[in-house]
Amino acid sequence: MNTLLSRLLKLEADRNNQHCAAAAVDEDGYDLWLRYLPLAQTRLKDVEDCVRAFVFGAENPTLTVARDELERAFFAMLVKCVPVREGGGISDGAVLVGTPDSLPVIADLDLSLPELGKEGYRVRSLIHEGKRVTAIAANTDIGVLYGCFAFLRHIQTGGDPARIDISSAPKVELRLLNHWDNLDGSVERGYAGFSIWDWWTLPDYVNRRYIDYARANASIGINGTVLNNVNAAPEILTEAYLAKAARLADIFRPYGLKVFLSVNFASPSALGETATSDPADPAVQAWWKDKASEVYRWIPDFGGFLVKANSEGQPGPGDYDRSHADGANMLADALAPHGGILIWRAFVYASDAGTDRATEALNEFKPLDGTFRNNVLLQVKNGPIDFQPREPFSPIFGQITKTPLVMEFQITKEYLGQATHLAYLGPVFEEVLKFDTHARGPGSTVSEIVKGKTFPHPVTGIAAVANIGTDRDWTGGTFNQANWYVFGRMAWDPDETAAAIAEDWVKMTFTCEPGFVSTVVEMMMRSPETLVNYMMPFGLHHQVATGHHYGPGPWVSELDRPEWNPTYYNRADKDGIGFNRLADGSNAIAQYSPEVQALFADPHALDERYLLWFHHVSWDFPLSSGKTLWQGLAERYDAGVAETARMIDIWDQQRAHVDGQRFAQIRTFLEIQHREAQWWRDACLAYFSAVAQRPLPEGHKQPAHALAHYREIHHCHAPGNPA
Amino acid sequence: MNTLLSRLLKLEADRNNQHCAAAAVDEDGYDLWLRYLPLAQTRLKDVEDCVRAFVFGAENPTLTVARDELERAFFAMLVKCVPVREGGGISDGAVLVGTPDSLPVIADLDLSLPELGKEGYRVRSLIHEGKRVTAIAANTDIGVLYGCFAFLRHIQTGGDPARIDISSAPKVELRLLNHWDNLDGSVERGYAGFSIWDWWTLPDYVNRRYIDYARANASIGINGTVLNNVNAAPEILTEAYLAKAARLADIFRPYGLKVFLSVNFASPSALGETATSDPADPAVQAWWKDKASEVYRWIPDFGGFLVKANSEGQPGPGDYDRSHADGANMLADALAPHGGILIWRAFVYASDAGTDRATEALNEFKPLDGTFRNNVLLQVKNGPIDFQPREPFSPIFGQITKTPLVMEFQITKEYLGQATHLAYLGPVFEEVLKFDTHARGPGSTVSEIVKGKTFPHPVTGIAAVANIGTDRDWTGGTFNQANWYVFGRMAWDPDETAAAIAEDWVKMTFTCEPGFVSTVVEMMMRSPETLVNYMMPFGLHHQVATGHHYGPGPWVSELDRPEWNPTYYNRADKDGIGFNRLADGSNAIAQYSPEVQALFADPHALDERYLLWFHHVSWDFPLSSGKTLWQGLAERYDAGVAETARMIDIWDQQRAHVDGQRFAQIRTFLEIQHREAQWWRDACLAYFSAVAQRPLPEGHKQPAHALAHYREIHHCHAPGNPA
């Protein structure tokens, strides 16, 4: 049931002066931030005065979904129908929706549309011919749809419709979700159930979820989606699956959402249609050209291919002694005639097991910079390792200058407590985007590079691994919805703040009640640091259990490849701990500009949150606090656990503001997080205490169990880790 | 969104004299048959007069859920709150809910409760002390809950509350769902998404689905559920999973739903806790005794174990040269002290590949009849092969007399078009239950045996493989919900008719509009025969593709075991087709009573729907119609295809009675069914035409493609067939 039902039930109950249990309604989270909560009586009249009629002009699929969204939303918020007029005159309370082409009157208004480009919008309340009207205007239909969602957000977050004047245009061109969804319905690193793509009933059956997925993405400006896992099954390029993908593209098109596909580099030979997949082989080149043409016959506005090659066992041009550029360019040439782009992932490592994994991507791609076709983009994870709760930015940002870079974030919380831990990723994204690479002097932030300002390129992009699944609330927990939301908002404008976006999200997802909003926003903003404290204090990274990455495994050292082992990263022994990435170590620090090197080079001067990322220091290393590292570690772990307990107390005080079902789920998840924070703290301190051959610092409780207990914990069928 | 919302939206729209698109509401099917559609104005007053207050006595968990269900349902149907009183006096319109213990006034009413036993109920409208009251009464709390659902069904299906007088008691004691759900979330033969048991977040998080699942089962009288696949993972008996199962048992308990578990016979050795799983080994016996005690510590009212042993690769006592009785009795002895039962599946075959698979279960178990402990039940599939769209009853019914038999039906449509084909199973269940085995003279129907009348036993049971998954509508299609529903109703009373149950279901699931109800009920009643016509005319069985059993594969002959091959069953060659099960063939017919043998022995006299099940005949065999078998086959296949086209026409005429979302899904599924009926027809006729070396009979269209085309069809990642 949903909030509209709840409001209507209360209306009925009130009419009968009744208040019964049956009128209490829970929310299941399906509506995400598009709940369109009926407005409080105090706001009703102001909004009604400004929204007496919607005026649309020419019809087309995108304007139709815009109209449906406005009708539906205001019916729910006002609990009455707002009439829709096809064109016609100006009147008080008219909401004029369209482009100068679709609704000519738009051209007569003072909206300075040209500067908004092809996706921007202007939503403005103004007096025209003596009437109070609201314009939702843009140069394109999709801009209009984005404007409608901006108008709705303004109302949902308590804005005054009579004072609205919002202009916005995206600062990044490609704003993409990457689904790591497999064709069998499993989702790699998925913690919200299974894949929402029901490949089996496609292309015949259109699940309502496909439409609501497109609505949600359009509401935050996401304009592209890669449907399948980067560990790609060759079958995705067969006719049967292209027909299925084409049906999804048809559904998504009115919402401005383009379909992309991950492809397996060895597809032609894996499908048995060529003898090899060597990019130098003319038959292979011809196969890809034909395949690209076939894809565009199915999906005329197809976005392009995403490729993970020669990484973690995936095939690639290296299998034939060809370079990443040779492979990428072959695919780019096949896509170019159709206007398609080729996104090549920079996530590669262990070409040589001896080198520091953190350095390998740049080592691999630096020599190739400048050799890629101009429709090739390089997709780079935010940090040099792998989506850790905290990483310094990847040195590729700043060092690769001739190839457009697509930022790759991870929304799904593979390393941040998965479904149940509360970790708002806004501050994590923000920390990376605001980092100054100094690549072209001060102000060369990662954000400026992603926006194509520092090194101009014809196309810019930002992507993130989705956390979406079949769970009713889409993301396996209400607070996980905030991470989908903040990614969309930051992809549109990387300079927006995590706090401001969290505030909008909280108001739309729960309530605008000021005390609740400020309390919950603060809890969200603190959440990643809380998690860092109990998982990776002082920059200690990749300390996770094997395979499913669920829970602590700092002792793991027996995996085939050295850089898969937590011990490779913690380097903990009797004398000290941390990964020396200075000149006398792996020298990974040399991949950064001198200004950035200066930030991290001195263990006594750097931001201690990165201490063990760059330095190997003794257990007695003196921290700025005057405490030793060993004392500091124990303090951080304890602080993380204490903060999770505090989150439970904070949440318990919010009961009055949240429906029973969502309140209870969040409460349960916070309890799990607290229990598991304790587990992380106890397991890590037990292990480090053993290798350091020293007891816990004074004043810190012994772990609940002996080290052996934590080493023996195994999990059966952990989610997100398909065989 | 749901029907209540729809009704309230209309109320609002009407108040504003508005009718806008936004007021149109779709249904997603989640509410199943418990939609509690707001009542038409014409019925409102009659119901309100009879339902002015609910009177409850003592509180307990089951009475609490009964009260919540009544409050919630009548709030939705009347769109107003009906007050609840704790005990207190009789008044006009009072609904008295309870047992003589919980609500003493019940004892004063003329309800003859004793004959209703421990699960039955009486719902009666009567005048007491001059007041019109309704009693929802029983000897037990769970009986009261069943009575509440009966009262609600009476209202939902258009009954007059002032005239209600329903007494009902179940005729079968154990009414069980079998979930073939694996611990990794996949569901063997599941076509409605993945498992609804989120093992990972259990026991902490209670998904709302668990509660609604229990509500739905209670509403149709199902009182037990086997949580996991009969191909059982040993891990289900570990502490971690017992804790999860116990949480589910706690949730289900108020709804009268007992938890059972499937166990792997080799669990003790597979879990590394014993050297062997030989039932004669004292250590193994002790392990199971301890394990049973542990299970009952977690779940005090645990139902018992279900075992698939020495069948299709599962371990069993045969691995140690012990009999099924040796294995079953060991487990029964472990459960007995706790009052638990042991259900042993009779689905075994190919102890000797030479014999007819249809005969093997009885051959195996007949000699053991009488040697089982008295808490052992034998679970027998309805037919001798494997859930084919039509099978004669299993000869075990009638031949095994000293051991209580649990009927095993399959609700999930493994062999009946899976999720998308419309096949109402009521007539299939009915055909089997009404079959007269003549085991003790005429009237010894399968139904009488299942009810324990023909051969009395201390306990009776009926089970079915569930079709429930994570799909929003639970069953992967609205009409599949009817099969869950009809199983529950027939398990409660095997003598109810499929048509009467379908009528209740249609009224509750869609609308009571008479024309719609009669049309849709007729379509449902015809549906299995339609499917038989295009899949297995004249009793031609097991003609399915390999593994996923999706689509036709009459040519398949290369599988390891002879009885896995469709050619084993069709025996089609140049001269004829069919499986000779008479004395000069496999003589499977000898397993039936003389009276049943007489029904099937003469190919010229038998019901031709079973012709090729029992007889191998020439292609020119003369049918009762005067046509040859080859002509008859072509006619049946064509008739099946034609009937699927007719279903589309029928459905298109119902648009006005069904919300847009469910109407469209059903329409799409009917199109898929029609396309696939054509596929079955073309593929089978192409193959038989080839082996018979004769063209299609005159007047029948050539298949759309050559045989090779159909043989080459392969499906990637078909659902319900986990690796």
Side-chain angles (χ1 to χ4, degrees), chain A residues 168-371:
Chain A
S168 186
K171 297 177 179 172
V172 178
E173 188 179 344
L174 299 172
R175 306 175 299 275
L176 312 176
L177 285 183
N178 289 185
H179 288 268
W180 284 357
D181 292 19
N182 299 316
L183 301 187
D184 66 0
S186 61
V187 181
E188 184 168 341
R189 310 312 174 185
Y191 312 107
F194 295 84
S195 175
I196 60 171
W197 316 132
D198 183 358
W199 293 113
W200 184 250
T201 56
L202 282 167
D204 297 297
Y205 175 55
V206 176
N207 190 312
R208 170 77 211 180
R209 262 191 186 256
Y210 305 151
I211 297 164
D212 290 324
Y213 166 85
R215 285 178 55 236
N217 282 320
S219 75
I220 53 177
I222 289 170
N223 64 358
T225 180
V226 184
L227 299 177
N228 60 313
N229 192 354
V230 289
N231 296 320
E235 291 74 20
I236 192 66
L237 289 176
T238 58
E239 183 179 24
Y241 281 92
L242 290 178
K244 298 167 190 286
R247 185 70 192 268
L248 289 175
D250 293 340
I251 296 162
F252 298 162
R253 192 166 291 110
Y255 299 88
L257 189 64
K258 270 193 183 184
V259 162
F260 293 67
L261 294 175
S262 294
V263 300
N264 182 304
F265 191 80
S267 295
S269 52
L271 292 172
E273 298 178 16
T274 61
T276 170
S277 289
D278 182 347
D281 184 315
V284 173
Q285 295 164 7
W287 188 90
W288 282 107
K289 280 199 188 309
D290 294 347
K291 183 56 69 175
S293 303
E294 183 188 357
V295 171
Y296 277 88
R297 278 195 300 276
W298 281 106
I299 309 173
D301 58 351
F302 180 69
F305 294 146
L306 172 64
V307 185
K308 175 180 179 179
N310 292 125
S311 172
E312 299 182 320
Q314 290 299 310
D319 305 349
Y320 310 95
D321 298 319
R322 315 294 176 189
S323 74
H324 283 286
D326 296 331
N329 290 341
M330 172 192 62
L331 295 173
D333 289 341
L335 292 162
H338 311 282
I341 64 163
L342 189 280
I343 307 176
W344 194 266
R345 291 177 89 231
F347 179 65
V348 299
Y349 59 90
S351 44
D352 161 13
T355 60
D356 178 359
R357 173 172 169 183
T359 65
E360 298 186 28
L362 183 60
N363 292 344
E364 188 87 32
F365 285 94
K366 182 68 179 170
L368 301 173
D369 191 20
T371 67

Side-chain angles (χ1 to χ4, degrees), chain A residues 1-2 4-5 8-9 11-12 15-16 18 20-23 28 71-72 75 79-81 183-185 194 200 204-205 208 235 241 472 550 661 665 668-669 672 675 715-719, chain B residues 1-2 4-5 8-9 11-12 15-16 18 20-23 28 71-72 75 79-81 183-185 194 200 204-205 208 235 241 472 550 661 665 668-669 672 675 715-719:
Chain A
M1 304 223 266
N2 70 8
L4 175 54
L5 176 55
L8 294 172
L9 283 163
L11 283 179
E12 289 303 319
R15 287 203 178 82
N16 309 308
Q18 295 173 319
C20 63
D28 61 21
E71 274 196 273
R72 172 179 168 172
F75 185 86
V79 194
K80 74 177 210 190
C81 297
L183 301 187
D184 66 0
F194 295 84
W200 184 250
D204 297 297
Y205 175 55
R208 170 77 211 180
E235 291 74 20
Y241 281 92
R472 182 60 180 167
Y550 184 78
Q661 188 171 335
Q665 188 203 42
T668 300
F669 284 10
I672 292 170
R675 186 179 69 221
H715 290 92
C716 204
H717 305 300
Chain B
M1 302 226 265
N2 70 6
L4 174 54
L5 176 54
L8 294 172
L9 284 165
L11 282 179
E12 291 304 320
R15 286 201 179 83
N16 309 308
Q18 295 173 318
C20 61
D28 60 20
E71 275 195 275
R72 173 178 168 171
F75 183 85
V79 194
K80 76 177 212 189
C81 297
L183 301 187
D184 65 1
F194 295 83
W200 185 250
D204 297 298
Y205 176 54
R208 171 77 211 181
E235 291 73 22
Y241 281 93
R472 182 60 181 168
Y550 183 79
Q661 188 170 337
Q665 187 201 43
T668 300
F669 284 10
I672 292 170
R675 185 178 70 220
H715 289 92
C716 207
H717 306 300

Side-chain angles (χ1 to χ4, degrees), chain A residues 31-96:
Chain A
D31 294 337
L32 295 164
W33 46 85
L34 301 174
R35 288 159 63 243
Y36 305 131
L37 195 70
L39 297 173
Q41 291 297 336
T42 53
R43 293 188 60 212
L44 214 45
K45 187 170 179 318
D46 292 346
V47 176
E48 282 174 344
D49 289 346
C50 291
V51 185
R52 295 187 188 163
F54 300 116
V55 180
F56 277 80
E59 281 255 358
N60 66 48
T62 294
L63 291 175
T64 299
V65 298
R67 191 180 74 181
D68 293 348
E69 193 73 24
L70 288 173
E71 274 196 273
R72 172 179 168 172
F74 279 94
F75 185 86
M77 292 191 290
L78 304 176
V79 194
K80 74 177 210 190
C81 297
V82 176
V84 177
R85 294 209 313 266
E86 310 292 336
I90 302 298
S91 63
D92 268 315
V95 180
L96 311 171

Side-chain angles (χ1 to χ4, degrees), chain A residues 1-2 26-31 198 205 207-209 470-473 661, chain B residues 1-2 27-32 191-194 196 207-209 212 468-478 481 484 661 665:
Chain A
M1 304 223 266
N2 70 8
D26 281 341
E27 291 193 52
D28 61 21
Y30 182 81
D31 294 337
D198 183 358
Y205 175 55
N207 190 312
R208 170 77 211 180
R209 262 191 186 256
T470 50
D471 281 1
R472 182 60 180 167
D473 67 7
Q661 188 171 335
Chain B
M1 302 226 265
N2 70 6
E27 289 193 54
D28 60 20
Y30 183 81
D31 294 337
L32 295 163
Y191 312 106
F194 295 83
I196 60 171
N207 190 312
R208 171 77 211 181
R209 262 190 186 257
D212 290 325
I468 296 162
T470 50
D471 280 1
R472 182 60 181 168
D473 68 7
W474 300 87
T475 59
T478 303
Q481 297 176 348
W484 178 7
Q661 188 170 337
Q665 187 201 43

